[in-house]
Amino acid sequence: MADSKTDSKTAAPSAREESLHSSPIYAVDGAQGIDLEQYRATVPLWKRVWQHSLTQMMLLSVQAFCGPAMADAIAGLGGGGLATTQTSNISTAILYAMLAVVCFMGGPLVNKLGVKWALVIGAASFPIQGSAYYCNSKFGNQWYLILSGAISGIGTACWYVAEAGAIMTLAPSGARGKYLALWIVSRNLGQLVGGAINLSKNHVKGADGGITPDTYIAFVIIECLALPFALLIRPFEHVVRSDGTRIITAETLSTKMEFKRIAKTMTSKLIMLSALWALWSFFYSGSWSTYLGTYFTVRARALSSLVSPFFCIVGCFGLGFILDMKHLSQRRRAQIGLFTVVILNVGVYIWSIIMQVKFNHNDPGKVDWEDGLYPSSFLPYFFVQTTGPLSQSYMYWLLSSFATDAQENVRNGAAFRCIEAIGQAISYGMNTQTTGDPLTGFCVTFALLGAALVPMIMLVNMTPDRIPADVVAEQQNAAREKGEDA
């Protein structure tokens, strides 16, 4: 009886599959999955552009520009731009604690809601924390800033999990590095705009205390723009990749089964080996936020948020080029990528620790951009704003190398985001207890990188030579062609 059920399931496609493949969008064309000529002939140009994978990635990137990038620009002011860093660090620690909790359940949540509606919920929450910083700066309102951390953590978690699944799923196999670079660059372009706003409103020499309240209004306006772009996102099954392949999606699971998958995902070899890397990947942010708020003048902090993303744009496309080199196997590219990211991070951490030890022996006060000390004290922050995103981009590329379908990408992305958020919550929480000495944070971050290296080497050496989802797609197409011939 069990065999007959298995045979019938293998022989007869589900109604969902039949509806997909009977549409011109999913007409089968050998291993490619779509008859592109028929697709172009039967689908209007506007619709083809809308459901193209690059268009969807750009819509996602615009949201990253409006939301996380603006939050990063505020963080780039040091202590959120406030006169004292403690309240900002408490709020941010709460945000990442809530983000970790929701991300833990993010796989079932996003797979039930759908990527689009998870992005919509997240985009709607973006302006909350920006408005809380304004109220704190303008009226001294601290409770709203702390509460906003919790609310934003929930909404941002929905968005982050959906984003992680999308960035690992949308790209065709030969262009994943470039797609991920586009995503990272959009976040850094957002920081450039945010930095320009910061500098235009906080450039007067001798300004003391926090950033001007008007600065936050500009951020809130941009954060509000994410919502309409989230509404334009298409479900995965309607997306057509640039190489003609379709996105492999699994059958929808029950809520009970989705929650059972949490334990399976969190204890999988993929997540266990990448867990320390996830914990480390953004751990540096709390220490560097405290570093900027403690040692730099208002206008120097504003300048840092403007210029720090420049090198990241070059670096991310450079890493994307390495990860997309077609003459190397996927495993070899993974090894080269890991070596590149680790060497760059080690250099930055050594430099930052040396600078902080010097500051502990001789307090520089508030460093301004006209001071001779500014270049050597600012450059480590400048470079960590490149090496940090490179580490993220590389990890998502690596995770996507193991996935068999889009839902698995969402679950893996949720697990990685959860552990990453735990690291950020610990980092900001740890920095609420430090008074002007980020050295502990720098040393802990460096130690975490060392601890993460051995399991990451093991994971990289397990990287399959081809993405399992691509192999599954080819097998499905071959089986379908065989059935049609019979």
Side-chain angles (χ1 to χ4, degrees), residues 127-420:
I128 293 174
Q129 200 170 37
S131 67
Y133 273 106
Y134 171 78
C135 290
N136 183 281
S137 181
K138 183 79 172 177
F139 309 111
N141 189 323
Q142 295 193 355
W143 68 264
Y144 179 37
L145 181 59
I146 293 172
L147 177 63
S148 74
I151 298 172
S152 296
I154 295 170
T156 303
C158 290
W159 194 89
Y160 272 169
V161 173
E163 177 205 35
I167 62 176
M168 291 192 290
T169 301
L170 288 171
S173 60
R176 285 179 299 144
K178 297 180 184 69
Y179 270 57
L180 286 167
L182 173 64
W183 162 64
I184 289 288
V185 165
S186 69
R187 294 189 65 159
N188 282 274
L189 286 175
Q191 287 188 69
L192 286 176
V193 173
I197 294 169
N198 292 338
L199 192 58
S200 68
K201 294 183 177 294
N202 302 281
H203 62 276
V204 178
K205 184 176 181 179
D208 198 10
I211 300 298
T212 61
D214 288 350
T215 306
Y216 300 109
I217 294 178
F219 287 139
V220 171
I221 291 171
I222 296 174
E223 286 171 334
C224 289
L225 298 177
L227 184 57
F229 289 97
L231 292 168
L232 291 173
I233 291 292
R234 298 289 286 158
F236 283 151
E237 58 265 26
H238 295 156
V239 174
V240 179
R241 291 191 180 119
S242 55
D243 63 355
T245 56
R246 61 189 177 87
I247 293 174
I248 298 296
T249 57
E251 290 295 326
T252 303
L253 300 177
S254 66
T255 302
K256 183 178 179 181
M257 284 301 299
E258 280 285 1
F259 275 99
K260 282 185 176 180
R261 290 291 181 94
I262 292 178
K264 184 178 179 181
T265 300
M266 294 299 290
T267 56
S268 67
K269 189 176 290 185
L270 177 65
I271 298 303
M272 295 293 285
L273 290 175
S274 63
L276 282 174
W277 186 277
L279 194 71
W280 159 77
S281 62
F282 264 146
F283 199 90
Y284 68 87
S285 56
S287 300
W288 278 108
S289 180
T290 302
Y291 178 82
L292 284 178
T294 302
Y295 294 115
F296 291 83
T297 64
V298 169
R299 68 173 190 165
R301 289 150 64 186
L303 179 64
S304 73
S305 65
L306 171 65
V307 302
S308 58
F310 274 103
F311 192 60
C312 181
I313 295 173
V314 177
C316 285
F317 275 110
L319 181 63
F321 175 79
I322 292 172
L323 297 178
D324 287 340
M325 289 191 294
K326 293 181 174 58
H327 64 282
L328 296 176
S329 70
Q330 185 168 256
R331 183 175 302 171
R332 181 61 67 191
R333 283 177 276 152
Q335 292 166 341
I336 295 173
L338 179 65
F339 177 80
T340 303
V341 169
V342 169
I343 289 298
L344 292 175
N345 274 285
V346 166
V348 170
Y349 290 139
I350 291 173
W351 191 346
S352 61
I353 289 171
I354 290 172
M355 286 305 305
Q356 186 57 49
V357 169
K358 288 182 178 179
F359 285 178
N360 286 352
H361 282 92
N362 185 18
D363 189 343
K366 292 289 186 179
V367 179
D368 190 61
W369 70 47
E370 293 182 350
D371 297 337
L373 185 60
Y374 180 75
S376 61
S377 58
F378 166 69
L379 280 175
Y381 177 80
F382 176 79
F383 287 121
V384 85
Q385 293 304 304
T386 297
T387 59
L390 282 180
S391 308
Q392 290 277 305
S393 182
Y394 171 75
M395 193 64 228
Y396 285 117
W397 179 90
L398 186 64
L399 288 176
S400 68
S401 302
F402 289 85
T404 56
D405 55 56
Q407 285 88 340
E408 188 175 354
N409 269 333
V410 171
R411 294 185 194 103
N412 291 338
F416 188 81
R417 289 284 198 192
C418 173
I419 301 168
E420 171 193 294

Side-chain angles (χ1 to χ4, degrees), residues 103-118:
C103 280
F104 181 77
M105 301 179 290
L109 187 64
V110 172
N111 283 335
K112 284 296 179 183
L113 285 173
V115 167
K116 174 178 178 174
W117 295 109

